[in-house]
Amino acid sequence: MIFMIIKYLVTAALVVIISEVAKRNDPVGSLIASLPLVTILTLFWLKFENAGTEKISNHAYYTFWFVIPTLPMFLLFPKLNATYGFWVAMLFSIVFTVVLFYLYQLVLGRFGIRLL
């Protein structure tokens, strides 16, 4: 139970630190947010919880493939946010990412890469 609380506190602290840095400095906040810190933390948590090597390796492998279809959202969202406001931009970006992910996994499936 203590370990679960530590996981929550460390992970939440990371999000709070990134948002506080981003409020003061857009480029630095974005740089920190773009680092795979959550993935690295997850890999540590899995290791500390004695997850097997295959489980840890699979997490890193699938994370690579899942990041790719999310990247266009970071170009689309700022344009939509400036034009339509935050909520419309966020909703459209989420829908766009889900559709893109669906199409992406169809394409990868043709190459024998199965994500879900």
Side-chain angles (χ1 to χ4, degrees), residues 39 43 46 54-65:
T39 300
L43 295 173
L46 288 170
E54 184 178 359
K55 175 69 79 180
I56 294 169
S57 296
N58 282 343
H59 181 77
Y61 175 81
Y62 286 114
T63 299
F64 169 80
W65 290 110

